[in-house]
Amino acid sequence: MDSELQIGLAALGITAVVGIIAYNKWQERKHRRQAEQAFKSEHRDVLLEPQEAPQGERVEPWTTEFPSPDANPAPASIPHPAAHGPVGRVTPGLPPAIDPRIDCVIRIESIELLHAPRLWTAQSEQLQGISKPVRWFAFDDAENLWRPLTAHSAGSFHWFCAAMQLVDRHGAIGENDFMHFSGGVQRVAEQFLAVPTDLPTRAEALRNAADLDQFCAGVDVQIGVNIISHNQPFAGTKIRALAEASGMTIGDDGAFHARDESGHTLFTLCNMEPALFAADEMRNLMTNGLTFVIDVPRVANGVVVFDHMMQQANHMADALQGNVVDDNRAPFGPDAALLIRSQIQQFQAQMADSEVPAGSPLALRLFSA
């Protein structure tokens, strides 16, 4: 009788254990599915629809010649999906200064508060040598905003964001840049027992960079007009006096700059000859030619700026007794100016259609050296 009771109790115990294990497995699968749904994202953050990546090296900015611009690429929307971080906090959105169309972005979360100076030192060691700009931000929980990080930043934070620019005027990132950036950020995270989120894939990042670079190369236009002397070269003192009288200032790049109220360059005045302009050398400088240049992607209202530049070029040509000519030294008349105005309108319209307005902060980042 006792043995039958013991056998019955043992069978009941085994059944209960099996039931508990089965219930735990069901709960585990249920939570795994919920987590997968929380982190799943099917969006692509790209500026353009996928295109075949360009072959060879990027075409550098060109001047004076005006081929018809390519068909406008279709801009894509930029989703900002929210997700849950590994310690249960809601992942903050991207910093306003970051644009997923032109930045490769990785956020990391530290369970314990992480001092910004320690993070900065670690990332400086890991990310040194990347060919494109990399920026860091920290999320201030108290103020509910992202703060840019620099070598002088203080404070402690849970969330950090690293962003590598995909394209500039030197071209797109390559595989080495991507691996250096993504691997470096992950090593920084591991060093502080932090967790990276939203890790980009190599193939998608490189494809987005190639598409973006192809778009930029298609609208990267600089237009120049020249003033050449009749007989005697132009004196540097007179060039400087005329330039400064029109509000232009000399820059570290050896050119005079006409700037807007925000300090952004509208157009430049350069020496056609190799010597650069320098404030302390203008007294002894002589040259047979000057060049006015407008950088089309970097100025808003390009036609208005071009007209202003031509007024200044004609005024200076009269004062110096020179001629306004194109790069072939042919007279630059109203017909040539009309053609250029039309081309500027087309290129800047193409940029606006792709949601990269000429002269905007986004354009200034993309079309930087």
Side-chain angles (χ1 to χ4, degrees), residues 49-100:
E49 294 298 324
Q51 304 176 20
E52 182 179 353
Q55 301 295 322
E57 297 183 355
R58 173 179 172 175
V59 178
E60 293 304 317
W62 47 271
T63 62
T64 302
E65 298 178 3
F66 308 102
S68 298
D70 297 332
N72 294 352
S77 59
I78 306 173
H80 298 286
H84 292 281
V87 296
R89 287 185 293 272
V90 175
T91 304
L94 295 180
I98 294 302
D99 192 317

Side-chain angles (χ1 to χ4, degrees), residues 195-206:
V195 181
T197 67
D198 305 328
L199 288 172
T201 66
R202 179 187 62 84
E204 184 175 26
L206 295 181

Side-chain angles (χ1 to χ4, degrees), residues 224-298:
V225 296
N226 307 306
I227 303 174
I228 59 173
S229 63
H230 286 310
N231 298 311
Q232 298 192 2
F234 305 139
T237 52
K238 193 163 187 178
I239 294 169
R240 179 177 182 179
L242 290 168
E244 291 181 348
S246 68
M248 302 183 76
T249 56
I250 199 165
D252 294 336
D253 58 351
F256 285 94
H257 290 248
R259 304 181 188 273
D260 62 15
E261 295 178 353
S262 300
H264 297 135
T265 296
L266 299 174
F267 56 85
T268 58
L269 172 64
C270 315
N271 191 353
M272 280 187 67
E273 297 177 359
L276 300 177
F277 293 146
D280 56 354
E281 297 177 7
M282 294 300 291
R283 180 175 300 177
N284 301 318
L285 183 138
M286 301 292 287
T287 182
N288 288 296
L290 306 171
T291 301
F292 282 87
V293 178
I294 177 174
D295 197 342
V296 174
R298 292 181 60 86

Side-chain angles (χ1 to χ4, degrees), residues 22-268:
Y23 176 77
N24 287 340
K25 288 293 184 181
W26 176 80
Q27 287 280 54
E28 181 181 346
R29 292 182 63 187
K30 175 182 177 183
H31 289 301
R32 185 183 298 116
R33 286 196 301 270
Q34 291 175 342
E36 289 173 352
Q37 289 297 321
F39 283 98
K40 185 177 180 182
S41 174
E42 298 178 353
H43 295 291
R44 293 182 60 230
D45 293 333
V46 295
L47 172 63
L48 311 174
E49 294 298 324
Q51 304 176 20
E52 182 179 353
Q55 301 295 322
E57 297 183 355
R58 173 179 172 175
V59 178
E60 293 304 317
W62 47 271
T63 62
T64 302
E65 298 178 3
F66 308 102
S68 298
D70 297 332
N72 294 352
S77 59
I78 306 173
H80 298 286
H84 292 281
V87 296
R89 287 185 293 272
V90 175
T91 304
L94 295 180
I98 294 302
D99 192 317
R101 296 176 297 174
I102 73 168
D103 293 304
C104 183
V105 183
I106 301 176
R107 285 170 288 189
I108 62 175
E109 182 181 14
S110 174
I111 297 176
E112 301 295 334
L113 284 170
L114 173 57
H115 295 301
R118 295 183 63 200
L119 183 283
W120 185 263
T121 299
Q123 70 84 27
S124 297
E125 296 172 353
Q126 291 293 338
L127 303 184
Q128 185 177 8
I130 294 178
S131 68
K132 296 291 180 281
V134 175
R135 296 182 294 168
W136 279 86
F137 301 83
F139 189 74
D140 188 329
D141 290 309
E143 299 292 334
N144 195 35
L145 56 79
W146 287 99
R147 298 189 179 279
L149 284 187
T150 69
H152 307 291
S153 296
S156 299
F157 308 91
H158 286 291
W159 280 100
F160 296 87
C161 178
M164 175 180 64
Q165 189 167 312
L166 295 174
V167 171
D168 60 19
R169 271 186 163 150
H170 294 296
I173 62 166
E175 184 168 357
N176 288 340
D177 281 325
F178 175 81
M179 299 304 294
H180 191 168
F181 174 70
S182 61
V185 173
Q186 291 183 73
R187 287 189 292 273
V188 170
E190 292 168 359
Q191 180 175 337
F192 300 108
L193 301 180
V195 181
T197 67
D198 305 328
L199 288 172
T201 66
R202 179 187 62 84
E204 184 175 26
L206 295 181
R207 182 173 61 248
N208 290 348
D211 290 344
L212 180 57
D213 188 51
Q214 187 175 32
F215 161 77
C216 290
V219 297
D220 199 354
V221 182
Q222 297 172 355
I223 295 169
V225 296
N226 307 306
I227 303 174
I228 59 173
S229 63
H230 286 310
N231 298 311
Q232 298 192 2
F234 305 139
T237 52
K238 193 163 187 178
I239 294 169
R240 179 177 182 179
L242 290 168
E244 291 181 348
S246 68
M248 302 183 76
T249 56
I250 199 165
D252 294 336
D253 58 351
F256 285 94
H257 290 248
R259 304 181 188 273
D260 62 15
E261 295 178 353
S262 300
H264 297 135
T265 296
L266 299 174
F267 56 85
T268 58

